[in-house]
């Protein structure tokens, strides 16, 4: 499975950190030059409430989606350059045999909290995968299908919200229209969540919080209802702690020889 890493030209330190992380798990990656608001003014259609860094971040992910849509890989992993891996992440990034056939997106990261998942199934090496129900933001690491990349490019010709909301908030119709899974325990996290290693503060400036309008709230609830109906996730869900037993050096043996389970 191909791995892409988004990195600003002016952030070689972050690229060095990402290179070190990938070396630890024995996986190669391709660098994708991020869209930089400081040197690349953009007139891409976007909602006025989005900050320039949020737009640049979204366009950087769109750049990856375009590469995937133009390529031959069925599934590709996208990472931001502040990613930190579990030491057993390598086998899952070396091939896509464990990815469910109906998956549009598989979220790999954790914010070190609980999320609601449905229909958990083992994928080997002590990890499971389940349908993601509810909100779990962040775009530090996810797998996306070629078909999903093509659809998202069509649906994001105007940017309406930050990329992590578009992909991982059920209040977003865009998210609700995708079939999204979550790996547990998660395979990666953002550096900022690991206090002893927090050497790379985020460079994304978020928009100030504004109270949601009644219309926005209604649209959000309708999107959630649509997602539940589409994915049949009203029942038999469970809250799962994605960080249970998670440390960057979990499973010191690193690359397990246990064979990953095929899709199914």
């Amino acid at each position: 499975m191909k791995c892409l890493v988004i990195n600003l030209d002016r952030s070689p330190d972050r690229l060095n950190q990402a290179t070190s992380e990938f070396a630890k798990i024995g996986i190669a990656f391709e660098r994708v030059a991020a869209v930089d608001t400081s040197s690349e003014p953009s007139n891409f259609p976007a909602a006025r409430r989005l900050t320039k860094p949020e737009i640049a971040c979204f366009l950087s992910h769109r750049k990856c989606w375009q590469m995937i849509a133009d390529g031959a890989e069925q599934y590709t992993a996208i990472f931001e350059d502040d990613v930190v891996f579990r030491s057993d992440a390598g086998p899952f990034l070396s091939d896509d045999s464990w990815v469910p056939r109906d998956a549009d997106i598989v979220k790999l990261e954790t914010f070190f909290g609980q999320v609601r998942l449905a229909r958990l199934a083992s994928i080997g090496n002590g990890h499971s995968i389940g349908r993601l129900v509810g909100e779990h933001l962040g775009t530090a690491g996810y797998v996306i299908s070629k078909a999903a990349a093509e659809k998202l490019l069509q649906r994001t010709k105007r940017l309406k919200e930050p990329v992590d909301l578009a992909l991982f908030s059920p209040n977003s119709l865009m998210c609700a229209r995708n079939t999204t899974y979550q790996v547990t325990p998660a395979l990666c996290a953002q550096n900022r969540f690991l206090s002893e290693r927090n050497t790379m503060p985020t460079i994304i400036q978020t928009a100030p919080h504004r109270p949601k309008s009644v219309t926005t709230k209604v649209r959000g609830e309708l999107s959630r209802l649509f997602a539940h109906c589409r994915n049949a996730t009203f029942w038999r869900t469970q809250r799962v702690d994605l960080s249970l037993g998670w440390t960057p050096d979990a499973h010191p043996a690193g690359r397990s020889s246990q064979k990953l389970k095929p899709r199914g």
Side-chain angles (χ1 to χ4, degrees):
M1 178 161 52
K2 180 182 288 187
C3 295
L4 305 178
V5 174
I6 299 170
N7 170 251
L8 286 165
D9 290 340
R10 58 185 168 91
S11 297
D13 55 331
R14 296 169 72 97
L15 179 60
N16 290 338
Q17 177 64 34
T19 300
S20 175
E21 287 296 322
F22 275 87
K24 289 176 183 177
I25 60 172
I27 296 294
F29 70 89
E30 179 179 344
R31 176 183 178 270
V32 178
V35 175
D36 193 339
T37 56
S38 68
S39 59
E40 303 176 51
S42 172
N43 58 358
F44 196 91
R48 295 178 62 181
R49 64 180 177 273
L50 294 180
T51 65
K52 289 183 178 179
E54 284 176 330
I55 294 171
C57 181
F58 206 133
L59 294 180
S60 298
H61 283 267
R62 283 190 97 254
K63 191 173 182 180
C64 292
W65 300 344
Q66 188 65 65
M67 293 171 62
I68 294 166
D70 293 340
E73 297 281 338
Q74 183 179 2
Y75 287 99
T76 301
I78 298 175
F79 299 96
E80 294 175 350
D81 58 7
D82 60 347
V83 67
V84 177
F85 291 110
R86 280 179 60 112
S87 60
D88 62 349
F92 296 96
L93 300 180
S94 63
D95 72 89
D96 62 12
S97 62
W98 56 274
V99 179
R101 288 189 177 90
D102 64 341
D104 289 315
I105 297 174
V106 179
K107 190 171 176 67
L108 304 177
E109 74 174 303
T110 178
F111 271 18
F112 293 93
Q114 293 187 339
V115 299
R116 189 167 292 279
L117 303 181
R119 299 190 290 276
L120 280 168
S122 173
I123 53 174
N125 289 10
H127 293 264
S128 298
I129 194 168
R131 294 289 292 272
L132 180 60
V133 182
E135 187 171 272
H136 185 205
L137 302 182
T139 49
Y142 62 97
V143 173
I144 184 170
S145 72
K146 176 180 170 68
E150 293 168 347
K151 290 187 293 185
L152 285 171
L153 287 170
Q154 292 300 314
R155 295 170 182 170
T156 57
K157 292 184 176 180
R158 181 177 184 275
L159 309 183
K160 300 179 181 179
E161 56 204 339
V163 64
D164 60 339
L165 290 177
L167 294 183
F168 300 117
S169 171
N171 287 335
S172 167
L173 182 58
M174 193 173 306
C175 170
R177 295 164 74 180
N178 292 327
T179 299
T180 305
Y181 286 82
Q182 169 75 55
V183 173
T184 178
L187 300 180
C188 64
Q190 294 179 28
N191 180 281
R192 66 191 176 97
F193 289 109
L194 305 168
S195 58
E196 72 276 13
R197 300 180 57 167
N198 189 15
T199 58
M200 297 185 295
T202 180
I203 57 176
I204 299 300
Q205 175 189 353
T206 59
H209 173 75
R210 296 186 180 91
K212 293 181 180 179
S213 67
V214 173
T215 301
T216 299
K217 291 180 179 179
V218 170
R219 286 176 179 170
E221 290 305 313
L222 289 175
S223 293
R224 283 179 179 270
L225 179 61
F226 172 78
H228 279 303
C229 292
R230 179 183 183 274
N231 300 320
T233 52
F234 282 107
W235 303 280
R236 296 183 182 179
T237 66
Q238 57 184 296
R239 294 195 69 81
V240 177
D241 185 353
L242 301 179
S243 60
L244 190 62
W246 200 101
T247 68
D249 300 316
H251 306 300
R255 301 156 209 156
S256 170
S257 60
Q258 182 177 349
K259 184 176 178 58
L260 300 180
K261 289 194 174 183
R263 299 187 197 124

